[in-house]
Amino acid sequence: MLTKATDILGVQVQKALAELYQLNVELNTISFQQTKKEFEGDFTLVTFPYVKASKKGPEQTAEEIGNYIKTHCKELISFNVVKGFLNLLLSNDYWQSFFAEILKIENYGIIKANATSPLVLLEYSSPNTNKPLHLGHVRNHLVGYSVAEILKANGKRVSKTCIVNDRGVHICKSMLAWQKFGNGETPESSGMKGDHLVGKYYVAFDKQYKKEIEELVAQGMSKEEAEKKAPSMLEVQAMLLKWEDGDSEVMNLWKTMNSWVYAGFDVTYKKLGVDFDSTYYESNTYLLGKDIVEEGLKKGVFFKKDDGSVWIDLTAEGLDQKLVLRADGTSVYITQDIGTAALRYKDNPDVTQMIYTVGNEQDYHFKVLFHILIKMGYAWAKECYHLSYGMVELPEGKMKSREGTVVDADDLLQGMYETAEATTSELGKIDGFSEEEAANLYRTISLGALKYFILKVDPKKKMLFDPKESIDFNGNTGPFIQYTHARIKSILRKAEYTFNKSDVVATTTLHEKEKELICLMHELPNVIQEAGKTYSPALVANYVYELSKAYSQFYNVPELNIVREENAAVKKFRLALSYKCSEVIKTGMKLLGVEVPERM
RNA sequence: GGUUAUGUAGCUCAACUGGAUAGAGCAUCGCACUACGGAUGCGAAGGUUUGGGGUUCGAAUCCCUACAUGACCA
């Protein structure tokens, strides 16, 4: 069992409060912060909350608690009090034995799931089949994938799932345009990636449609009417009806074009390194919600208006009335979502939570959806969670596909790859790499830069991306962390170090920078837990950066040279410390979906 | 108009959820190479945390208000 410093101290504080002031508090309410650099100590207890019970000033209270711990706890070597802050300093012996303890733990920080662990269903990606993926999707993919990894590390079983929006008016638009202007063009004949080819016709439709509207408006029609009566729009609607009737020609075209898109998506998914355990298609699920709405009508969850449309009244919940079925009996988005949720539950009866990775523009939608599911009486509905993330904005504002201000995912990846290639060959450190190894490395670095760049910011917040300024490789970046890892590996190679569980590692002196590294590693389980609780990869990203930075500082202290250290025990300790750092960096980066190279 | 987010250094982001003198990176300027990998380290400069009130031992964080931006709902 791991003897975490905060656990040891927490118990002591608890006892101190009970014995000194007859105050009984729960262990988990006692929290420590890392002592600020200006003060001496490892952890700090804020004593203001306890002055009521002690009936003494904050300083005296701190003093008394400090004294109590000092006499009862051998790990505590000294303490000091500044105002109401009690700074606790642990002995080097403690930190060394703590390090020896974690050194032996494989996959330190990770809680492994087993067959009986809670099952979480996490939806992400949710693409449309009418256009290629862009930067917004990339954030979705990276956040979704990383949160899945983080939840796994918290001992959960996670099943990643994807819903493909493969039907509707917008899909018919690209189909119609292809029929009209395509001349039988295919991905093979054009050499274009399938999703880009279909996207091209989606744009072509829009162009044609706009032209028609302009003409009609010029003839004196109002803009609104023109939008409804433009010939292309009428054709699209006719096509949608045919699709719903299962017209074989339309169905064939639909299947063909969708298959192009899927092939294109697969390439992008693979490049990004994301995957799914299951995929649902809206074309299969869009009718499912209707039965549930019927059922809800009987239960009185929904009500019918005079025109026959079905609604739910959420005014008591602070929302308003919401349409769930149109007057003509057709479903709206939320009808589908109700159906899909129910189907997923049916497919995974032991699921304990469903998570939806969807942009924050849908915040309202999911509030409504979850309320409906709860009112329908589904036990699992309370555990639904909308993993909402902010939009990625460009310097000129939001991305708009119609205005051509979209950053295409494939272009972005390609650009990153080229930057990685240029930077790496400029530095000239990978002599002896085969072409394949080099290509692999460029891929690793470019993905690392991109993923870290996106994941280091809190998902809830909107973020800014400037395509003109390429993503940095220096400072607080993915490549910096990857570099730190590669550098450690290089040292270990040079020193011919191989990790051995039974090695005894200790040093008589513990340098401040060495201790800092151990303290940081002490935090890893907390960080992973907190990241899981708040669904925030950013916490992991920031942590790994802190650790990498601390390692670089340690590395740059001349008297802490590892390879040239003559004292064998000290050398071994520093090697083991470095080794464990590289492991923790690797673990953290894996939670972000980023690989770390041995050399770069 | 209603609801809801967000507003922190020139720029991009942190701040352990109410704690000590608000921290990093980039950009700028200045250092450190007999280097275990310089994709590095050290230092300087840069802040009235959008403005104004309040709550308390203590506020970037909570409340009220104004402004700005975005998103949803009509």
Side-chain angles (χ1 to χ4, degrees), chain A residues 429-439 441 597-600:
Chain A
K429 288 186 194 168
I430 55 162
D431 305 338
F433 269 44
S434 73
E435 215 166 282
E436 199 194 333
E437 285 170 329
L441 179 65
E598 299 287 310
R599 290 180 61 193
M600 65 185 278

Side-chain angles (χ1 to χ4, degrees), chain A residues 33-37 39-44 86-88:
Chain A
Q33 6 179 343
Q34 310 254 299
T35 302
K36 302 239 170 201
K37 285 230 166 76
F39 304 100
E40 193 187 9
D42 297 325
F43 297 98
T44 297
L86 172 61
N87 300 321
L88 303 163

Side-chain angles (χ1 to χ4, degrees), chain A residues 155-174:
Chain A
K156 298 194 169 145
R157 274 150 70 216
V158 181
S159 176
K160 288 172 281 185
T161 180
C162 174
I163 176 108
V164 183
N165 185 347
D166 63 344
R167 62 163 288 278
V169 193
H170 51 292
I171 312 293
C172 290
K173 287 179 180 173
S174 29

Side-chain angles (χ1 to χ4, degrees), chain A residues 173 176-177 201-209 232-233 236:
Chain A
K173 287 179 180 173
L176 188 76
Y201 287 103
Y202 184 70
V203 173
F205 173 90
D206 204 57
K207 217 169 129 191
Q208 169 72 15
Y209 178 47
S232 295
M233 183 49 79
V236 159

Side-chain angles (χ1 to χ4, degrees), chain A residues 254-292:
Chain A
W254 176 71
K255 281 181 189 160
T256 307
M257 289 182 73
N258 273 351
S259 73
W260 295 345
V261 173
Y262 297 145
F265 283 173
D266 278 345
V267 171
T268 310
Y269 287 146
K270 211 166 238 151
K271 273 198 225 160
L272 270 175
V274 300
D275 55 11
F276 306 95
D277 300 303
S278 65
T279 304
Y280 290 80
Y281 298 92
E282 245 175 47
S283 53
N284 293 328
T285 62
Y286 81 106
L287 295 173
L288 287 179
K290 288 190 187 178
D291 292 342
I292 297 173

Side-chain angles (χ1 to χ4, degrees), chain A residues 483-497:
Chain A
Y483 172 77
T484 309
H485 179 268
R487 177 150 74 176
I488 294 174
K489 289 294 179 177
S490 165
I491 295 168
L492 299 181
R493 273 193 303 270
K494 183 151 270 182
E496 296 176 347
Y497 173 82

Side-chain angles (χ1 to χ4, degrees), chain A residues 110-175:
Chain A
I110 304 286
I111 301 170
K112 259 208 174 144
N114 59 39
T116 59
S117 302
L119 174 68
V120 176
L121 215 58
L122 186 145
E123 173 192 303
Y124 73 116
S125 190
S126 327
N128 278 331
T129 54
N130 63 337
K131 50 191 163 196
L133 303 169
H134 59 68
L135 183 54
H137 296 110
V138 172
R139 190 175 194 190
N140 181 305
H141 291 139
L142 300 183
V143 169
Y145 182 88
S146 176
V147 168
E149 289 298 308
I150 289 168
L151 293 178
K152 282 185 201 169
N154 277 286
K156 298 194 169 145
R157 274 150 70 216
V158 181
S159 176
K160 288 172 281 185
T161 180
C162 174
I163 176 108
V164 183
N165 185 347
D166 63 344
R167 62 163 288 278
V169 193
H170 51 292
I171 312 293
C172 290
K173 287 179 180 173
S174 29
M175 284 160 62

Side-chain angles (χ1 to χ4, degrees), chain A residues 127-353:
Chain A
N128 278 331
T129 54
N130 63 337
K131 50 191 163 196
L133 303 169
H134 59 68
L135 183 54
H137 296 110
V138 172
R139 190 175 194 190
N140 181 305
H141 291 139
L142 300 183
V143 169
Y145 182 88
S146 176
V147 168
E149 289 298 308
I150 289 168
L151 293 178
K152 282 185 201 169
N154 277 286
K156 298 194 169 145
R157 274 150 70 216
V158 181
S159 176
K160 288 172 281 185
T161 180
C162 174
I163 176 108
V164 183
N165 185 347
D166 63 344
R167 62 163 288 278
V169 193
H170 51 292
I171 312 293
C172 290
K173 287 179 180 173
S174 29
M175 284 160 62
L176 188 76
W178 184 86
Q179 271 185 338
K180 280 191 169 171
F181 320 116
N183 295 318
E185 190 178 32
T186 66
E188 291 76 26
S189 75
S190 64
M192 274 177 92
K193 223 167 138 263
D195 49 338
H196 287 261
L197 182 69
V198 172
K200 181 174 118 183
Y201 287 103
Y202 184 70
V203 173
F205 173 90
D206 204 57
K207 217 169 129 191
Q208 169 72 15
Y209 178 47
K210 276 205 179 119
K211 204 170 95 190
E212 290 171 5
I213 292 173
E214 261 173 48
E215 282 168 11
L216 290 174
V217 169
Q219 288 166 23
M221 202 182 269
S222 78
K223 199 179 171 210
E224 254 175 54
E225 206 184 346
E227 279 171 2
K228 280 184 195 150
K229 296 213 170 145
S232 295
M233 183 49 79
L234 296 177
E235 283 178 83
V236 159
Q237 259 142 12
M239 190 182 237
L240 184 61
L241 285 178
K242 278 187 176 178
W243 183 91
E244 285 179 358
D245 279 346
D247 177 278
S248 64
E249 194 192 339
V250 172
M251 287 308 273
N252 278 337
L253 177 61
W254 176 71
K255 281 181 189 160
T256 307
M257 289 182 73
N258 273 351
S259 73
W260 295 345
V261 173
Y262 297 145
F265 283 173
D266 278 345
V267 171
T268 310
Y269 287 146
K270 211 166 238 151
K271 273 198 225 160
L272 270 175
V274 300
D275 55 11
F276 306 95
D277 300 303
S278 65
T279 304
Y280 290 80
Y281 298 92
E282 245 175 47
S283 53
N284 293 328
T285 62
Y286 81 106
L287 295 173
L288 287 179
K290 288 190 187 178
D291 292 342
I292 297 173
V293 171
E294 283 302 320
E295 190 193 324
L297 256 178
K298 283 186 204 136
K299 278 192 190 168
V301 174
F302 306 119
F303 67 94
K304 205 170 237 181
K305 286 199 177 174
D306 291 342
D307 64 355
S309 57
V310 181
W311 297 69
I312 186 165
D313 188 350
L314 292 172
T315 44
E317 281 77 15
L319 307 172
D320 46 20
Q321 298 192 346
K322 181 83 187 170
L323 178 78
V324 293
L325 209 57
R326 290 202 193 94
D328 60 5
T330 57
S331 48
V332 291
Y333 269 115
I334 205 147
T335 329
Q336 303 178 23
D337 288 338
I338 295 168
T340 309
L343 177 66
R344 280 183 175 149
Y345 178 66
K346 209 174 129 204
D347 291 345
N348 303 277
D350 56 339
V351 70
T352 59
Q353 187 185 25

